[in-house]
Amino acid sequence: MKFAVLDFETTGNQSADEIIQVGLAIIDEDRSISRVYGSYVNPGIPIPPFITGLTGISDSDVADAPSLEEMMMELVPMLDDVVLVGHNVAFDFNFLQNALDRCGYLPFSGRILDTIHFLKICFPSLTSYQLGMVSSHFGFEHDRPHQADSDALATAYALLKCLEELDQLPLITIQRLSDLFADEDSDLGWFFDGMRVNLENQALQEPDNFTYFRQFALNIEDWTEMAPPRAENENNPLADVSFDEYMSQVRDNLRETLPQYESRDAQDIMFEEVMTALEEDKHLLIEAGTGTGKSLGYLLPSIYQSVKQEQKVMVSTHTINLQEQLRERDIPLMTKVIPFPFKAAVFKGRQHYLCLRKFEHKINRRDFNTPKEDIITSAQMIVWLAQTETGDDEELNLGGRGGDYWETVASESDSCLGRACPWFRKCFYHRAKHEAGIADVVITNHSKLFTDVKANHQLLPAYERLVIDEAHHLEDVAGKHLGLNLKYFTVVHTLTRLYKDSRNGQLPALRQLLQTSAHEKAGDWTLVIDRIYPDLLTVKESWDRLNDLLFGLLPERGDASGEVGQFTLRLSPSKKPKDWVSLTELENQIYVTLGEVVRQGDRLTSEIREELDDYSADSLITDINGLFKDLASHRENLKFFMTLNDDGIVYWMEANGNFRSKSLQMYAVPVDVSSQLKELFFDKKQSVILTSATLSVDKSFQYMIDNLGLQEASEQGRLNTVQLPSPFNYREQALLLIPRDFPSVKGTVGDPLFVNTLVQSLSDTAMVTRGRMLVLFTSYRMLRQVYEPLKEALSSSDIAVLGQGMDGTSRTKLIRRFQDSSASVLLGTSSFWEGVDIPGEALTCLAIVRLPFQPPNHPLVEAKSELLQQQKKNPFMKLSVPQAVIRFKQGFGRLVRTAQDKGIVIVYDTRVIESYYGKHFLYSLPGPKMEHMPTEQMVSRITEWMGKEQEH
């Protein structure tokens, strides 16, 4: 097979646009790149400035270049008898066919392959399939992105990398891939078929690093073979070792492993404080700012405690991201520095693990909703099975519709066959559960922590000691989990998975299976299924109507604070909306019909399971049974929400103006979770350690103590609180400026004076700091007001402006683009206030446009304020200010991430110096240099401060 890898640069992406450069790389049968051809092409029209900006190709470059006809005379002979390859090949192929036609050649009729498909299938875990990212990941030369010869060469390298990877795969995997594409009349199908035939004709040495099971190649042994970290009959490695002795050995090993390691005061205090709390059965609130190294700060004492006492310690993080970071970075480091074998296991929510039985079933039955995309996703996953050790969806880059696909193959308790499943010993979820069972320390997340509490502690292994990282989120997560959130689509998904139409859905699949069965009751069972169909349709219609009516109650205005077009409405038990009675009648019809459906469904599935002995029926029955259980719980949740009768609960609805009733969500959340947290954790557990960079307000922990239910522990002397000193020298590293004459703003939209002054100041500052600036907004509408004018103001200076939500790019991609392009300004709202890590040179200046108060009209904030008023407390000082201070500290924490970082923070909100509560914000920061001055003096002050920085 000979490949020709083609890339065009063009004046645009419409078919009427012209080619301005061509690149072609030829890969011979022996997989060597035998020729790279590149040429400019004179398009006969001016090149648009946007294209010149992207490619660096200007009118002068192409002025003396060959015409399209001259270039095609050179190109066409090279396309003889080749497989045409491109990165997103459809684009280049269209331009090629067009050019062949215009220059009087026959159309290209050979095979066409796309490297994007190949990369997805061969490397299902790559974070991006964009050519530049792929090149830097594999370390290819790709020195001039968006220049055709450089792109063509990089694409050729990418193809070779994929072919190499395919060579490593066992025959069974290639057969699976070939089988998957067989019904598709596609060139990809032709390629895998050829590969399969070729392999089947060779005397094969199968690679022995795979496990083969039910026609799949896996990268795992049975989990039942997994041994605990230390043998039972061994002596305890810490029997006579004190914590200090253990730590001094660990520190020696750290110095050997990490040459740059130096012991930090803050981290040393943290080791001691965490250890004390664990040993003395106390709870601990410990604030550890950026740079403390808090993961090690709690992990090292936890492992000591757990191994020495032979009792598990549970660690919980807020985000899956932090869980991954612990898995990828911190655990491997500890394995190197701790002088005895131990095990730390990561355990997530069940829906993160692949159910092998469902996956096998889906592939064998070709149960695809959108075949073209689903086949590529299936291919990715067949290859991934030969690579993954965890079966965790975070490893996969599924793109597009991948999320819907994952939902159909994810593990769930309701459809689990347990030991009866042929895949049981290979099962990823049971592997993770078993691993957590034998581990010393289990790392889970807040969500799973609460799901476990709600499931009567059936999910996580038993534990007495708990470390909660990112603890400032605990209250929020508790509310969500101890309350209820029902989405329009949650119910629809369950209904359509049971029955979409007479051919699609799990019930029709069961009906087909029964029709081929000789069982005497098959006819009766089929009738029951036929009786259930119309009921499901009725429920779907009523549910649609109910959601339309509920959406109709929402006020027709975008809620100013949140993202655009978000509508919110709080419902209160004392004053229900008018016509609520007719809505509850509709809900009651749904309740009754669903009750009937679930009753019939349960009876049907248990009868079939008892009497029909058929594995494929078994797995179908299990899935159907799971869906009926889901319906039963949706039915109860809806009843609970619509009854609106509990004063301790806030009820509200949210929806999005664009998707209307399809985006409706119902919430019912306890106003105050402190008593539940106290009862579930602080009363029950021997020691709970809560840590985060932001737990104190004004150097006091009272806000957290009140809200998390720690008051009693504090009064009984069971609570220690510690604020660690900062490891950074903020007076030297950070300068905080407040323009004291800056115009103020009411609400979430700026008036022309405010917006113009802000754009002017931001662009002047960006010029001095050469971009590298993050601007934090509290409202998306204000971000939009600033985005275009700021782009305009900086257009002549080569500084790019990136805006969250402005071009549909995801948050992670925005951050990556910001880090990659040296001169850029990034505008972000809510999710950028925390958790964004941009160390080093990429970020020099942080601008905070407004103090991050939560919108007072959010139902939960409203209800909490009312509760405080009843207790004769001031909601503004007890709730709004502390919440805003914590976010403000989170925002400030984006700037200085290492001891080398230096940076400037500008706070454009003059309330920090004018209002009586402003001092709480400034006093809560870790001591940067603070100055206020008229707006026009800021640029010269920044220039001076940055100049000083460069002299050092």
Side-chain angles (χ1 to χ4, degrees):
M1 240 186 284
K2 194 167 154 194
F3 298 101
V5 184
L6 178 67
D7 188 78
F8 289 126
E9 299 305 328
T10 59
T11 56
N13 45 20
Q14 302 303 316
S15 49
D17 286 311
E18 296 291 336
I19 294 172
I20 53 175
Q21 192 189 24
V22 59
L24 187 77
I26 300 287
I27 302 178
D28 284 339
E29 282 86 348
D30 64 356
R31 294 195 188 169
S32 60
I33 297 178
S34 59
R35 169 151 198 206
V36 178
Y37 164 78
S39 167
Y40 287 125
V41 179
N42 187 332
I45 55 166
I47 296 174
F50 161 68
I51 295 292
T52 300
L54 179 72
T55 59
I57 301 171
S58 62
D59 291 330
S60 57
D61 290 324
V62 295
D64 305 328
S67 67
L68 184 68
E69 282 76 10
E70 293 169 319
M71 182 275 289
M72 290 299 281
M73 281 171 67
E74 294 190 354
L75 185 68
V76 171
M78 292 189 267
L79 297 179
D80 188 34
D81 197 27
V82 294
V83 176
L84 191 69
V85 177
H87 197 71
N88 202 356
V89 71
F91 173 87
D92 304 288
F93 181 65
N94 286 339
F95 275 95
L96 175 67
Q97 294 295 43
N98 225 337
L100 288 167
D101 187 46
R102 278 166 59 184
C103 300
Y105 296 97
L106 287 172
F108 179 84
S109 58
R111 302 278 181 182
I112 309 158
L113 296 173
D114 195 331
T115 41
I116 289 192
H117 290 155
F118 273 107
L119 284 162
K120 280 186 172 170
I121 294 170
C122 300
F123 300 103
S125 302
L126 269 186
T127 47
S128 160
Y129 296 112
Q130 189 244 334
L131 194 57
M133 293 295 192
V134 170
S135 304
S136 69
H137 177 83
F138 289 120
F140 308 147
E141 295 243 336
H142 185 208
D143 43 358
R144 292 170 292 118
H146 300 296
Q147 291 246 340
D149 49 343
S150 179
D151 280 355
L153 188 58
T155 307
Y157 285 137
L159 177 68
L160 290 171
K161 192 80 195 161
C162 292
L163 296 176
E164 243 171 72
E165 190 64 18
L166 289 171
D167 290 341
Q168 307 298 315
L169 292 171
L171 171 63
I172 190 84
T173 302
I174 302 298
Q175 287 169 328
R176 277 276 180 191
L177 291 172
S178 158
D179 186 47
L180 194 59
F181 287 97
D183 297 357
E184 285 271 286
D185 179 27
S186 70
D187 291 347
L188 210 51
W190 162 82
F191 174 85
F192 281 117
D193 192 52
M195 200 170 162
R196 174 187 60 81
V197 171
N198 190 14
L199 280 175
E200 287 173 347
N201 292 335
Q202 295 172 15
L204 268 187
Q205 288 287 246
E206 278 290 15
D208 55 3
N209 46 345
F210 298 104
T211 305
Y212 301 98
F213 189 68
R214 298 181 71 89
Q215 309 292 299
F216 286 94
L218 306 170
N219 187 22
I220 45 168
E221 296 294 332
D222 289 6
W223 56 260
T224 43
E225 310 283 303
M226 264 176 158
R230 298 170 302 281
E232 297 215 342
N233 50 10
E234 264 179 54
N235 292 338
N236 188 320
L238 289 173
D240 315 315
V241 182
S242 73
F243 183 60
D244 290 344
E245 290 166 339
Y246 157 84
M247 281 310 299
S248 84
Q249 202 173 348
V250 167
R251 281 197 188 93
D252 293 346
N253 295 346
L254 274 168
R255 281 186 205 95
E256 272 176 36
T257 316
L258 303 173
Q260 75 281 26
Y261 175 78
E262 56 203 51
S263 133
R264 292 174 254 186
D265 293 349
Q267 195 182 43
D268 290 344
I269 300 170
M270 185 162 178
F271 290 142
E272 293 304 325
E273 291 289 349
V274 172
M275 197 59 233
T276 304
L278 289 171
E279 273 184 344
E280 296 179 2
D281 289 355
K282 288 196 170 161
H283 303 317
L284 169 68
L285 277 170
I286 182 163
E287 182 171 85
T290 318
T292 310
K294 70 172 185 314
S295 317
L296 286 189
Y298 58 71
L299 284 170
L300 287 169
S302 297
I303 289 169
Y304 176 83
Q305 168 71 22
S306 159
V307 173
K308 178 138 186 159
Q309 305 300 335
E310 297 177 3
Q311 284 184 331
K312 237 178 252 326
V313 175
M314 188 67 59
V315 172
S316 176
T317 69
H318 173 52
T319 52
I320 299 273
N321 269 357
L322 187 59
Q323 247 181 312
E324 289 298 305
Q325 185 184 309
L326 295 175
R327 184 207 307 261
E328 302 293 314
R329 199 185 69 189
D330 298 309
I331 296 174
L333 171 64
M334 290 192 309
T335 310
K336 287 187 187 141
V337 300
I338 289 177
F340 51 81
F342 72 94
K343 186 166 191 58
V346 171
F347 194 22
K348 299 184 181 172
R350 186 160 192 156
Q351 72 289 353
H352 288 287
Y353 300 97
L354 176 71
C355 169
L356 287 156
R357 173 184 67 76
K358 284 188 184 174
F359 179 62
E360 176 190 33
H361 199 65
K362 189 178 181 83
I363 301 250
N364 291 350
R365 293 210 18 239
R366 303 185 70 81
D367 178 9
F368 300 138
N369 276 339
T370 42
K372 272 221 167 351
E373 295 169 35
D374 285 1
I375 284 179
I376 296 282
T377 306
S378 304
Q380 275 186 285
M381 289 177 66
I382 286 171
V383 172
W384 179 60
L385 281 183
Q387 300 166 347
T388 182
E389 294 175 16
T390 60
D392 174 345
D393 68 336
E394 297 288 317
E395 297 177 357
L396 280 171
N397 179 352
L398 293 176
R401 305 288 295 277
D404 296 344
Y405 183 104
W406 180 263
E407 268 185 22
T408 63
V409 292
S411 170
E412 6 168 57
S413 54
D414 288 340
S415 60
C416 178
L417 292 176
R419 295 183 178 282
C421 179
W423 287 98
F424 180 65
R425 289 159 172 269
K426 304 276 186 290
C427 170
F428 291 116
Y429 170 71
H430 283 100
R431 161 179 307 267
K433 190 169 177 170
H434 174 73
E435 232 179 307
I438 58 175
D440 300 302
V441 169
V442 179
I443 296 163
T444 186
N445 52 55
H446 299 354
S447 238
K448 176 112 185 160
L449 206 57
F450 285 103
T451 321
D452 175 59
V453 167
K454 278 169 69 174
N456 288 326
H457 307 288
Q458 298 296 303
L459 306 178
L460 292 172
Y463 61 95
E464 282 301 328
R465 292 182 169 72
L466 168 65
V467 177
I468 295 180
D469 197 347
E470 299 171 294
H472 60 284
H473 286 293
L474 188 66
E475 188 192 356
D476 266 358
V477 180
K480 286 203 180 86
H481 280 269
L482 301 170
L484 148 167
N485 170 9
L486 187 60
K487 301 185 173 96
Y488 167 78
F489 268 118
T490 316
V491 178
V492 172
H493 267 318
T494 313
L495 291 169
T496 48
R497 279 179 61 193
L498 269 170
Y499 173 75
K500 195 168 176 187
D501 51 49
S502 57
R503 282 201 311 283
N504 292 301
Q506 303 286 42
L507 282 174
L510 179 62
R511 194 178 183 284
Q512 271 174 328
L513 196 130
L514 290 173
Q515 282 178 322
T516 57
S517 154
H519 196 281
E520 58 196 31
K521 287 199 181 167
D524 301 346
W525 292 333
T526 310
L527 286 175
V528 177
I529 294 177
D530 291 342
R531 277 210 305 277
I532 293 178
Y533 288 168
D535 283 349
L536 290 172
L537 291 175
T538 311
V539 169
K540 166 89 167 63
E541 281 161 22
S542 309
W543 175 244
D544 282 344
R545 232 180 81 227
L546 181 62
N547 278 270
D548 279 338
L549 293 168
L550 288 171
F551 181 80
L553 297 174
L554 292 172
E556 277 294 331
R557 49 166 192 81
D559 188 42
S561 61
E563 307 290 311
V564 176
Q566 263 321 72
F567 303 140
T568 307
L569 173 71
R570 180 174 168 198
L571 300 165
S572 81
S574 48
K575 25 181 212 299
K576 297 178 175 152
K578 61 178 199 314
D579 299 339
W580 193 252
V581 175
S582 59
L583 292 174
T584 45
E585 280 167 7
L586 185 54
E587 177 271 324
N588 201 41
Q589 288 169 16
I590 296 177
Y591 189 81
V592 173
T593 316
L594 271 183
E596 192 48 32
V597 165
V598 170
R599 204 178 51 72
Q600 291 184 342
D602 282 349
R603 210 172 57 217
L604 174 75
T605 49
S606 60
E607 262 190 42
I608 298 181
R609 175 170 283 149
E610 272 172 30
E611 306 204 14
L612 200 65
D613 191 23
D614 174 349
Y615 165 67
S616 57
D618 256 6
S619 76
L620 242 183
I621 291 288
T622 305
D623 290 345
I624 290 173
N625 205 18
L627 291 167
F628 282 130
K629 280 186 187 154
D630 288 346
L631 282 182
S633 81
H634 300 332
R635 165 178 181 255
E636 293 308 326
N637 284 346
L638 180 60
K639 169 69 78 194
F640 179 80
F641 179 82
M642 297 292 292
T643 315
L644 280 189
N645 63 357
D646 187 334
D647 286 324
I649 285 189
V650 201
Y651 301 89
W652 79 94
M653 301 187 292
E654 277 177 27
N656 177 299
N658 304 330
F659 301 104
R660 306 190 67 80
S661 64
K662 302 251 181 296
S663 64
L664 193 79
Q665 303 200 43
M666 304 171 203
Y667 290 90
V669 172
V671 184
D672 178 16
V673 289
S674 64
S675 57
Q676 279 157 291
L677 287 173
K678 171 179 176 304
E679 191 187 317
L680 293 167
F681 295 106
F682 305 121
D683 291 353
K684 286 232 172 69
K685 303 294 172 198
Q686 289 171 0
S687 170
V688 180
I689 288 153
L690 301 114
T691 179
S692 149
T694 50
L695 289 175
S696 69
V697 176
D698 246 2
K699 315 275 188 275
S700 146
F701 286 100
Q702 200 51 49
Y703 172 70
M704 281 296 169
I705 291 175
D706 290 343
N707 281 16
L708 298 177
L710 280 160
Q711 191 55 49
E712 189 179 295
S714 166
E715 287 159 10
Q716 295 169 349
R718 274 197 69 203
L719 175 68
N720 298 346
T721 57
V722 183
Q723 196 174 10
L724 295 174
S726 168
F728 301 144
N729 179 350
Y730 278 101
R731 279 201 72 68
E732 293 289 310
Q733 289 181 255
L735 171 67
L736 181 121
L737 296 178
I738 303 154
R740 59 170 176 254
D741 57 351
F742 208 77
S744 61
V745 61
K746 290 271 177 285
T748 52
V749 183
D751 53 46
L753 171 70
F754 178 82
V755 173
N756 296 339
T757 321
L758 180 61
V759 168
Q760 189 59 50
S761 176
L762 288 173
S763 64
D764 293 348
T765 307
M767 298 290 219
V768 187
T769 60
R770 299 192 295 282
R772 307 205 302 251
M773 180 176 196
L774 174 63
V775 187
L776 294 177
F777 292 84
T778 51
S779 98
Y780 189 69
R781 290 169 72 172
M782 203 180 285
L783 185 152
R784 291 186 45 167
Q785 283 180 298
V786 169
Y787 179 72
E788 289 298 340
L790 184 60
K791 239 181 149 148
E792 186 60 30
L794 289 171
S795 57
S796 56
S797 68
D798 279 353
I799 295 175
V801 176
L802 310 171
Q804 180 187 359
M806 296 314 292
D807 52 2
T809 316
S810 75
R811 183 181 118 158
T812 350
K813 284 195 180 139
L814 268 180
I815 295 169
R816 227 187 265 134
R817 275 174 59 189
F818 179 66
Q819 275 171 305
D820 288 347
S821 55
S822 52
S824 53
V825 176
L826 174 55
L827 313 181
T829 64
S830 51
S831 60
F832 275 85
W833 281 80
E834 61 175 283
V836 177
D837 198 1
I838 310 171
E841 285 296 289
L843 184 61
T844 302
C845 179
L846 172 76
I848 291 178
V849 178
R850 311 271 333 266
L851 295 176
F853 284 106
Q854 272 200 313
N857 55 0
H858 186 282
L860 201 52
V861 180
E862 245 177 33
K864 288 187 170 179
S865 303
E866 288 160 17
L867 186 68
L868 285 165
Q869 270 163 340
Q870 287 164 20
Q871 298 165 352
K872 303 276 186 287
K873 292 177 181 163
N874 173 347
F876 184 68
M877 292 309 291
K878 279 271 180 255
L879 178 71
S880 306
V881 171
Q883 277 185 339
V885 167
I886 283 175
R887 285 206 84 168
F888 181 74
K889 284 169 70 172
Q890 282 284 345
F892 179 85
R894 300 304 103 221
L895 188 67
V896 176
R897 312 291 296 170
T898 69
Q900 283 69 50
D901 286 356
K902 295 196 66 151
I904 294 147
V905 181
I906 305 172
V907 180
Y908 285 106
D909 194 331
T910 52
R911 291 179 294 181
V912 292
I913 47 177
E914 286 164 1
S915 68
Y916 66 94
Y917 54 81
K919 60 176 187 305
H920 296 296
F921 287 87
L922 298 177
Y923 185 55
S924 290
L925 294 178
K929 195 168 174 45
M930 300 188 198
E931 300 174 7
H932 52 86
M933 58 194 63
T935 310
E936 80 238 14
Q937 288 174 19
M938 283 204 319
V939 169
S940 62
R941 178 67 184 104
I942 291 172
T943 315
E944 179 196 355
W945 197 77
M946 287 184 60
K948 275 231 283 292
E949 171 196 359
Q950 266 132 31
E951 286 161 29
H952 285 316

